[in-house]
Amino acid sequence: MLLKNVTYLDENFKLATTKYLRIEDGRFVEFTDDLTGSKDNLSGLMGNPVNYQRAPQRQAAKSRSDKEQIDCTDLLIMPGFYNSHAHSPMSLMRGYGENMSLNAWLSDKIWPFEAHLNSDSIYWGTMLSMAESIRNGIVSSTDMYYFTSDMVRAYVDAGVKGNISRALVNFDGTYYTEMESFKEMETAYKDFNGYRDGRIIIEASIHGEYTSDEQTVRGIAEYAGAHGMRMHIHLSETREEHENCVLKRKMTPCEYFAECGLLDVPTTAAHCVWVTDSDIDILREKKATVSHNPQSNLKLASGIAPVYKIMNKGVRVAIGTDSVASNNSLNFFEAMKLTGLIAKISTMDPRVLSPEDILTSATRNGALAQGREDCGAIKEGFRADFIAVNLKDSCMNPIHEITNNLVYSGDPSIIKMTVCDGELLYKDGEFTKFDIDEVIANANRETERILQLV
């Protein structure tokens, strides 16, 4: 792929220009104003990309994307978004169960609906989320659910990247190796970790402190450590969850997970609304990533995460959407804006969190949380994950400082193009990998089937 007349955000989120930006084998190869004598390969450019397990070799033949030429006049090339917390199949439950507390929402609406999910509903629900993600500029998601193989199939068909985990829940004390959910996670790891040249990474997952027992937590922590797996958890999402754990265990959920060894592997901890100062110190010490989910936390009245304090203490913060069932959309521009606004109002200080801080959380930090060291920046040798936004849109003008406009004025309508690993997935309202009408029709069919059963 050759991009011409390029304005882009460099790795420090400063505007830069180049006449040509060349992409080969899914990576940014060269930024140049003169193609004469251009580099012919990636030798010496790749640095130390992440060493994915089981990553098959790319085909020798160049893809169609490698041969495309795109004029980027009036566009801004910037990193794609990395969604650090999602439950993609739950797009089937968009708007289903409104104005309810979290516990009532789960027990009265979500869990009864989920009891009737099957392979088809998981696939089409995930495909619907992937379509919305691509249109919203999301190139990779950290996803937690079940029917893992069907989720992987949807991710591959959509052309995006994902860190996918089978969330483990244990209410009856079954030994963890005997649980069907553990066997599903184990099989998914063996079959799919590193699949599609590292686009798919399989993670371990404990759903939460309040949905599992100690032997399961310790067992999964040990298994993840032995196999080099990353971890995805919910942590202190609600006051009730946090305080009940303190009453039950004389420890916060963070202290409990740390004591069980769960945080000894690279961990993405979603929400962290009620974490204490000592919890934040633990997260920093363990090098965990906090996934901040502002829309879901506000809509479910879970609270406001102390994201500025967490970030200021040296903990990596990424941004997540949570599910469409508790957010209603995968609008990452909205997530960035809310991240900035609630940090300011919760500290009563309009100076906290710069637009660059927020963009870092939405892009590079999300990539690092997924273990994708060579992703999340427009940089030579990095994987070519990017979006192109329309600089001529009314909401983007005038431009006093481009990062201010992106965080506080942007919306998904300005996205003209989404590219993942150098593959064009979306351009000018059209998806390149699938029929969006077919996706919507099948997702609606599955929803109607389940609604007749609940």
Side-chain angles (χ1 to χ4, degrees), residues 6-31:
V6 177
T7 299
Y8 65 98
L9 284 185
D10 68 16
E11 58 186 305
N12 298 310
F13 297 102
K14 302 300 182 183
L15 279 178
T17 60
T18 184
K19 190 168 184 181
Y20 301 104
L21 173 49
R22 191 156 68 90
I23 296 165
E24 283 188 7
D25 294 329
R27 293 182 184 272
F28 298 115
V29 174
E30 187 175 18
F31 298 72

PDB file of all heavy atoms in Angstrom, residues 6-31:
ATOM      1  N   VAL A   6       0.630  12.740   2.565  1.00  0.00           N
ATOM      2  CA  VAL A   6       0.210  12.278   3.886  1.00  0.00           C
ATOM      3  C   VAL A   6       0.489  13.323   4.969  1.00  0.00           C
ATOM      4  O   VAL A   6       1.610  13.820   5.105  1.00  0.00           O
ATOM      5  CB  VAL A   6       0.928  10.966   4.243  1.00  0.00           C
ATOM      6  CG1 VAL A   6       0.551  10.508   5.652  1.00  0.00           C
ATOM      7  CG2 VAL A   6       0.608   9.880   3.227  1.00  0.00           C
ATOM      8  N   THR A   7      -0.552  13.634   5.749  1.00  0.00           N
ATOM      9  CA  THR A   7      -0.413  14.336   7.024  1.00  0.00           C
ATOM     10  C   THR A   7      -0.712  13.313   8.107  1.00  0.00           C
ATOM     11  O   THR A   7      -1.731  12.613   8.030  1.00  0.00           O
ATOM     12  CB  THR A   7      -1.391  15.510   7.120  1.00  0.00           C
ATOM     13  OG1 THR A   7      -1.121  16.445   6.075  1.00  0.00           O
ATOM     14  CG2 THR A   7      -1.270  16.217   8.463  1.00  0.00           C
ATOM     15  N   TYR A   8       0.153  13.193   9.094  1.00  0.00           N
ATOM     16  CA  TYR A   8      -0.042  12.142  10.099  1.00  0.00           C
ATOM     17  C   TYR A   8       0.350  12.639  11.486  1.00  0.00           C
ATOM     18  O   TYR A   8       1.017  13.669  11.632  1.00  0.00           O
ATOM     19  CB  TYR A   8       0.758  10.888   9.739  1.00  0.00           C
ATOM     20  CG  TYR A   8       2.262  11.035   9.761  1.00  0.00           C
ATOM     21  CD1 TYR A   8       3.004  10.626  10.877  1.00  0.00           C
ATOM     22  CD2 TYR A   8       2.956  11.563   8.668  1.00  0.00           C
ATOM     23  CE1 TYR A   8       4.382  10.756  10.906  1.00  0.00           C
ATOM     24  CE2 TYR A   8       4.346  11.682   8.689  1.00  0.00           C
ATOM     25  CZ  TYR A   8       5.056  11.276   9.808  1.00  0.00           C
ATOM     26  OH  TYR A   8       6.423  11.400   9.849  1.00  0.00           O
ATOM     27  N   LEU A   9      -0.103  11.892  12.491  1.00  0.00           N
ATOM     28  CA  LEU A   9       0.302  12.134  13.872  1.00  0.00           C
ATOM     29  C   LEU A   9       1.492  11.244  14.164  1.00  0.00           C
ATOM     30  O   LEU A   9       1.390  10.010  14.064  1.00  0.00           O
ATOM     31  CB  LEU A   9      -0.828  11.801  14.851  1.00  0.00           C
ATOM     32  CG  LEU A   9      -1.996  12.772  14.998  1.00  0.00           C
ATOM     33  CD1 LEU A   9      -2.915  12.289  16.109  1.00  0.00           C
ATOM     34  CD2 LEU A   9      -1.530  14.187  15.282  1.00  0.00           C
ATOM     35  N   ASP A  10       2.615  11.836  14.543  1.00  0.00           N
ATOM     36  CA  ASP A  10       3.777  11.014  14.852  1.00  0.00           C
ATOM     37  C   ASP A  10       3.609  10.388  16.236  1.00  0.00           C
ATOM     38  O   ASP A  10       2.570  10.541  16.888  1.00  0.00           O
ATOM     39  CB  ASP A  10       5.074  11.817  14.728  1.00  0.00           C
ATOM     40  CG  ASP A  10       5.232  12.913  15.786  1.00  0.00           C
ATOM     41  OD1 ASP A  10       4.507  12.903  16.808  1.00  0.00           O
ATOM     42  OD2 ASP A  10       6.099  13.788  15.587  1.00  0.00           O
ATOM     43  N   GLU A  11       4.630   9.679  16.702  1.00  0.00           N
ATOM     44  CA  GLU A  11       4.498   8.934  17.950  1.00  0.00           C
ATOM     45  C   GLU A  11       4.335   9.837  19.171  1.00  0.00           C
ATOM     46  O   GLU A  11       3.934   9.373  20.247  1.00  0.00           O
ATOM     47  CB  GLU A  11       5.694   8.012  18.144  1.00  0.00           C
ATOM     48  CG  GLU A  11       7.036   8.708  18.171  1.00  0.00           C
ATOM     49  CD  GLU A  11       8.186   7.718  18.222  1.00  0.00           C
ATOM     50  OE1 GLU A  11       8.195   6.863  19.151  1.00  0.00           O
ATOM     51  OE2 GLU A  11       9.060   7.776  17.360  1.00  0.00           O
ATOM     52  N   ASN A  12       4.613  11.132  19.032  1.00  0.00           N
ATOM     53  CA  ASN A  12       4.391  12.105  20.106  1.00  0.00           C
ATOM     54  C   ASN A  12       3.123  12.922  19.893  1.00  0.00           C
ATOM     55  O   ASN A  12       2.916  13.931  20.556  1.00  0.00           O
ATOM     56  CB  ASN A  12       5.603  13.038  20.210  1.00  0.00           C
ATOM     57  CG  ASN A  12       6.873  12.294  20.558  1.00  0.00           C
ATOM     58  OD1 ASN A  12       6.891  11.506  21.504  1.00  0.00           O
ATOM     59  ND2 ASN A  12       7.933  12.518  19.793  1.00  0.00           N
ATOM     60  N   PHE A  13       2.301  12.496  18.946  1.00  0.00           N
ATOM     61  CA  PHE A  13       1.037  13.147  18.604  1.00  0.00           C
ATOM     62  C   PHE A  13       1.237  14.571  18.096  1.00  0.00           C
ATOM     63  O   PHE A  13       0.424  15.461  18.351  1.00  0.00           O
ATOM     64  CB  PHE A  13       0.053  13.100  19.774  1.00  0.00           C
ATOM     65  CG  PHE A  13      -0.322  11.691  20.149  1.00  0.00           C
ATOM     66  CD1 PHE A  13       0.239  11.076  21.258  1.00  0.00           C
ATOM     67  CD2 PHE A  13      -1.199  10.954  19.369  1.00  0.00           C
ATOM     68  CE1 PHE A  13      -0.068   9.765  21.583  1.00  0.00           C
ATOM     69  CE2 PHE A  13      -1.518   9.638  19.690  1.00  0.00           C
ATOM     70  CZ  PHE A  13      -0.961   9.048  20.799  1.00  0.00           C
ATOM     71  N   LYS A  14       2.314  14.753  17.358  1.00  0.00           N
ATOM     72  CA  LYS A  14       2.569  16.006  16.674  1.00  0.00           C
ATOM     73  C   LYS A  14       2.290  15.826  15.180  1.00  0.00           C
ATOM     74  O   LYS A  14       2.545  14.756  14.626  1.00  0.00           O
ATOM     75  CB  LYS A  14       4.009  16.471  16.883  1.00  0.00           C
ATOM     76  CG  LYS A  14       4.401  16.665  18.342  1.00  0.00           C
ATOM     77  CD  LYS A  14       3.539  17.712  19.024  1.00  0.00           C
ATOM     78  CE  LYS A  14       3.963  17.943  20.471  1.00  0.00           C
ATOM     79  NZ  LYS A  14       3.058  18.912  21.154  1.00  0.00           N
ATOM     80  N   LEU A  15       1.778  16.877  14.560  1.00  0.00           N
ATOM     81  CA  LEU A  15       1.507  16.811  13.128  1.00  0.00           C
ATOM     82  C   LEU A  15       2.812  16.701  12.349  1.00  0.00           C
ATOM     83  O   LEU A  15       3.798  17.394  12.635  1.00  0.00           O
ATOM     84  CB  LEU A  15       0.748  18.049  12.668  1.00  0.00           C
ATOM     85  CG  LEU A  15      -0.759  18.074  12.905  1.00  0.00           C
ATOM     86  CD1 LEU A  15      -1.349  19.406  12.436  1.00  0.00           C
ATOM     87  CD2 LEU A  15      -1.454  16.918  12.189  1.00  0.00           C
ATOM     88  N   ALA A  16       2.830  15.825  11.373  1.00  0.00           N
ATOM     89  CA  ALA A  16       3.977  15.662  10.487  1.00  0.00           C
ATOM     90  C   ALA A  16       3.451  15.383   9.088  1.00  0.00           C
ATOM     91  O   ALA A  16       2.286  15.013   8.908  1.00  0.00           O
ATOM     92  CB  ALA A  16       4.872  14.519  10.961  1.00  0.00           C
ATOM     93  N   THR A  17       4.290  15.579   8.109  1.00  0.00           N
ATOM     94  CA  THR A  17       3.881  15.346   6.720  1.00  0.00           C
ATOM     95  C   THR A  17       4.956  14.536   5.993  1.00  0.00           C
ATOM     96  O   THR A  17       6.139  14.572   6.342  1.00  0.00           O
ATOM     97  CB  THR A  17       3.655  16.661   5.959  1.00  0.00           C
ATOM     98  OG1 THR A  17       4.861  17.418   5.940  1.00  0.00           O
ATOM     99  CG2 THR A  17       2.543  17.487   6.608  1.00  0.00           C
ATOM    100  N   THR A  18       4.530  13.822   4.995  1.00  0.00           N
ATOM    101  CA  THR A  18       5.429  13.132   4.085  1.00  0.00           C
ATOM    102  C   THR A  18       4.698  12.959   2.763  1.00  0.00           C
ATOM    103  O   THR A  18       3.466  12.801   2.747  1.00  0.00           O
ATOM    104  CB  THR A  18       5.880  11.767   4.645  1.00  0.00           C
ATOM    105  OG1 THR A  18       6.828  11.182   3.754  1.00  0.00           O
ATOM    106  CG2 THR A  18       4.710  10.807   4.807  1.00  0.00           C
ATOM    107  N   LYS A  19       5.435  13.010   1.685  1.00  0.00           N
ATOM    108  CA  LYS A  19       4.783  12.862   0.379  1.00  0.00           C
ATOM    109  C   LYS A  19       4.319  11.431   0.154  1.00  0.00           C
ATOM    110  O   LYS A  19       3.266  11.190  -0.424  1.00  0.00           O
ATOM    111  CB  LYS A  19       5.723  13.294  -0.736  1.00  0.00           C
ATOM    112  CG  LYS A  19       5.029  13.402  -2.086  1.00  0.00           C
ATOM    113  CD  LYS A  19       5.887  14.112  -3.117  1.00  0.00           C
ATOM    114  CE  LYS A  19       5.120  14.285  -4.424  1.00  0.00           C
ATOM    115  NZ  LYS A  19       5.942  14.960  -5.446  1.00  0.00           N
ATOM    116  N   TYR A  20       5.124  10.479   0.671  1.00  0.00           N
ATOM    117  CA  TYR A  20       4.783   9.072   0.501  1.00  0.00           C
ATOM    118  C   TYR A  20       4.976   8.332   1.821  1.00  0.00           C
ATOM    119  O   TYR A  20       5.970   8.523   2.521  1.00  0.00           O
ATOM    120  CB  TYR A  20       5.672   8.406  -0.557  1.00  0.00           C
ATOM    121  CG  TYR A  20       5.600   9.044  -1.917  1.00  0.00           C
ATOM    122  CD1 TYR A  20       6.643   9.858  -2.375  1.00  0.00           C
ATOM    123  CD2 TYR A  20       4.498   8.847  -2.753  1.00  0.00           C
ATOM    124  CE1 TYR A  20       6.587  10.453  -3.624  1.00  0.00           C
ATOM    125  CE2 TYR A  20       4.434   9.436  -4.002  1.00  0.00           C
ATOM    126  CZ  TYR A  20       5.482  10.245  -4.436  1.00  0.00           C
ATOM    127  OH  TYR A  20       5.418  10.836  -5.664  1.00  0.00           O
ATOM    128  N   LEU A  21       4.020   7.450   2.102  1.00  0.00           N
ATOM    129  CA  LEU A  21       4.130   6.535   3.230  1.00  0.00           C
ATOM    130  C   LEU A  21       3.899   5.136   2.670  1.00  0.00           C
ATOM    131  O   LEU A  21       2.802   4.800   2.224  1.00  0.00           O
ATOM    132  CB  LEU A  21       3.109   6.867   4.318  1.00  0.00           C
ATOM    133  CG  LEU A  21       2.969   5.907   5.503  1.00  0.00           C
ATOM    134  CD1 LEU A  21       4.324   5.555   6.111  1.00  0.00           C
ATOM    135  CD2 LEU A  21       2.049   6.496   6.564  1.00  0.00           C
ATOM    136  N   ARG A  22       4.968   4.349   2.675  1.00  0.00           N
ATOM    137  CA  ARG A  22       4.895   3.031   2.056  1.00  0.00           C
ATOM    138  C   ARG A  22       4.665   1.959   3.110  1.00  0.00           C
ATOM    139  O   ARG A  22       5.313   1.952   4.169  1.00  0.00           O
ATOM    140  CB  ARG A  22       6.183   2.743   1.279  1.00  0.00           C
ATOM    141  CG  ARG A  22       6.095   1.514   0.377  1.00  0.00           C
ATOM    142  CD  ARG A  22       7.114   1.593  -0.762  1.00  0.00           C
ATOM    143  NE  ARG A  22       8.479   1.493  -0.281  1.00  0.00           N
ATOM    144  CZ  ARG A  22       9.147   0.346  -0.139  1.00  0.00           C
ATOM    145  NH1 ARG A  22       8.544  -0.791  -0.424  1.00  0.00           N
ATOM    146  NH2 ARG A  22      10.389   0.342   0.282  1.00  0.00           N
ATOM    147  N   ILE A  23       3.746   1.037   2.806  1.00  0.00           N
ATOM    148  CA  ILE A  23       3.370  -0.063   3.698  1.00  0.00           C
ATOM    149  C   ILE A  23       3.577  -1.370   2.955  1.00  0.00           C
ATOM    150  O   ILE A  23       3.094  -1.536   1.832  1.00  0.00           O
ATOM    151  CB  ILE A  23       1.897   0.074   4.144  1.00  0.00           C
ATOM    152  CG1 ILE A  23       1.703   1.352   4.975  1.00  0.00           C
ATOM    153  CG2 ILE A  23       1.449  -1.159   4.924  1.00  0.00           C
ATOM    154  CD1 ILE A  23       0.253   1.752   5.146  1.00  0.00           C
ATOM    155  N   GLU A  24       4.308  -2.290   3.581  1.00  0.00           N
ATOM    156  CA  GLU A  24       4.520  -3.612   2.997  1.00  0.00           C
ATOM    157  C   GLU A  24       4.418  -4.666   4.075  1.00  0.00           C
ATOM    158  O   GLU A  24       4.866  -4.457   5.209  1.00  0.00           O
ATOM    159  CB  GLU A  24       5.892  -3.706   2.316  1.00  0.00           C
ATOM    160  CG  GLU A  24       5.969  -3.035   0.956  1.00  0.00           C
ATOM    161  CD  GLU A  24       7.279  -3.328   0.247  1.00  0.00           C
ATOM    162  OE1 GLU A  24       8.057  -4.163   0.772  1.00  0.00           O
ATOM    163  OE2 GLU A  24       7.516  -2.730  -0.810  1.00  0.00           O
ATOM    164  N   ASP A  25       3.852  -5.823   3.692  1.00  0.00           N
ATOM    165  CA  ASP A  25       3.715  -6.945   4.627  1.00  0.00           C
ATOM    166  C   ASP A  25       3.121  -6.499   5.953  1.00  0.00           C
ATOM    167  O   ASP A  25       3.507  -6.969   7.027  1.00  0.00           O
ATOM    168  CB  ASP A  25       5.068  -7.621   4.859  1.00  0.00           C
ATOM    169  CG  ASP A  25       5.585  -8.304   3.594  1.00  0.00           C
ATOM    170  OD1 ASP A  25       4.754  -8.766   2.792  1.00  0.00           O
ATOM    171  OD2 ASP A  25       6.813  -8.350   3.407  1.00  0.00           O
ATOM    172  N   GLY A  26       2.190  -5.545   5.855  1.00  0.00           N
ATOM    173  CA  GLY A  26       1.455  -5.121   7.037  1.00  0.00           C
ATOM    174  C   GLY A  26       2.170  -4.146   7.943  1.00  0.00           C
ATOM    175  O   GLY A  26       1.692  -3.865   9.037  1.00  0.00           O
ATOM    176  N   ARG A  27       3.306  -3.583   7.500  1.00  0.00           N
ATOM    177  CA  ARG A  27       4.065  -2.668   8.353  1.00  0.00           C
ATOM    178  C   ARG A  27       4.362  -1.369   7.615  1.00  0.00           C
ATOM    179  O   ARG A  27       4.436  -1.326   6.397  1.00  0.00           O
ATOM    180  CB  ARG A  27       5.376  -3.313   8.796  1.00  0.00           C
ATOM    181  CG  ARG A  27       5.190  -4.499   9.713  1.00  0.00           C
ATOM    182  CD  ARG A  27       6.523  -5.063  10.170  1.00  0.00           C
ATOM    183  NE  ARG A  27       6.317  -6.255  10.982  1.00  0.00           N
ATOM    184  CZ  ARG A  27       6.119  -6.250  12.296  1.00  0.00           C
ATOM    185  NH1 ARG A  27       6.127  -5.110  12.964  1.00  0.00           N
ATOM    186  NH2 ARG A  27       5.923  -7.368  12.958  1.00  0.00           N
ATOM    187  N   PHE A  28       4.541  -0.300   8.433  1.00  0.00           N
ATOM    188  CA  PHE A  28       5.027   0.962   7.884  1.00  0.00           C
ATOM    189  C   PHE A  28       6.499   0.771   7.523  1.00  0.00           C
ATOM    190  O   PHE A  28       7.338   0.540   8.400  1.00  0.00           O
ATOM    191  CB  PHE A  28       4.898   2.097   8.903  1.00  0.00           C
ATOM    192  CG  PHE A  28       3.486   2.401   9.321  1.00  0.00           C
ATOM    193  CD1 PHE A  28       3.077   2.182  10.634  1.00  0.00           C
ATOM    194  CD2 PHE A  28       2.574   2.919   8.413  1.00  0.00           C
ATOM    195  CE1 PHE A  28       1.781   2.480  11.027  1.00  0.00           C
ATOM    196  CE2 PHE A  28       1.276   3.215   8.798  1.00  0.00           C
ATOM    197  CZ  PHE A  28       0.874   2.992  10.108  1.00  0.00           C
ATOM    198  N   VAL A  29       6.818   0.887   6.240  1.00  0.00           N
ATOM    199  CA  VAL A  29       8.181   0.632   5.785  1.00  0.00           C
ATOM    200  C   VAL A  29       8.975   1.918   5.635  1.00  0.00           C
ATOM    201  O   VAL A  29      10.139   1.988   6.018  1.00  0.00           O
ATOM    202  CB  VAL A  29       8.154  -0.127   4.437  1.00  0.00           C
ATOM    203  CG1 VAL A  29       9.563  -0.280   3.871  1.00  0.00           C
ATOM    204  CG2 VAL A  29       7.506  -1.474   4.606  1.00  0.00           C
ATOM    205  N   GLU A  30       8.321   2.959   5.082  1.00  0.00           N
ATOM    206  CA  GLU A  30       9.125   4.116   4.704  1.00  0.00           C
ATOM    207  C   GLU A  30       8.279   5.382   4.638  1.00  0.00           C
ATOM    208  O   GLU A  30       7.183   5.385   4.089  1.00  0.00           O
ATOM    209  CB  GLU A  30       9.764   3.840   3.345  1.00  0.00           C
ATOM    210  CG  GLU A  30      10.757   4.883   2.888  1.00  0.00           C
ATOM    211  CD  GLU A  30      11.430   4.478   1.590  1.00  0.00           C
ATOM    212  OE1 GLU A  30      10.913   3.600   0.879  1.00  0.00           O
ATOM    213  OE2 GLU A  30      12.491   5.064   1.294  1.00  0.00           O
ATOM    214  N   PHE A  31       8.816   6.452   5.204  1.00  0.00           N
ATOM    215  CA  PHE A  31       8.263   7.789   5.093  1.00  0.00           C
ATOM    216  C   PHE A  31       9.255   8.576   4.233  1.00  0.00           C
ATOM    217  O   PHE A  31      10.404   8.763   4.638  1.00  0.00           O
ATOM    218  CB  PHE A  31       8.153   8.451   6.466  1.00  0.00           C
ATOM    219  CG  PHE A  31       7.244   7.751   7.434  1.00  0.00           C
ATOM    220  CD1 PHE A  31       7.609   6.536   8.019  1.00  0.00           C
ATOM    221  CD2 PHE A  31       6.028   8.315   7.786  1.00  0.00           C
ATOM    222  CE1 PHE A  31       6.781   5.899   8.930  1.00  0.00           C
ATOM    223  CE2 PHE A  31       5.191   7.681   8.695  1.00  0.00           C
ATOM    224  CZ  PHE A  31       5.566   6.474   9.269  1.00  0.00           C
TER     225      PHE A  31
END
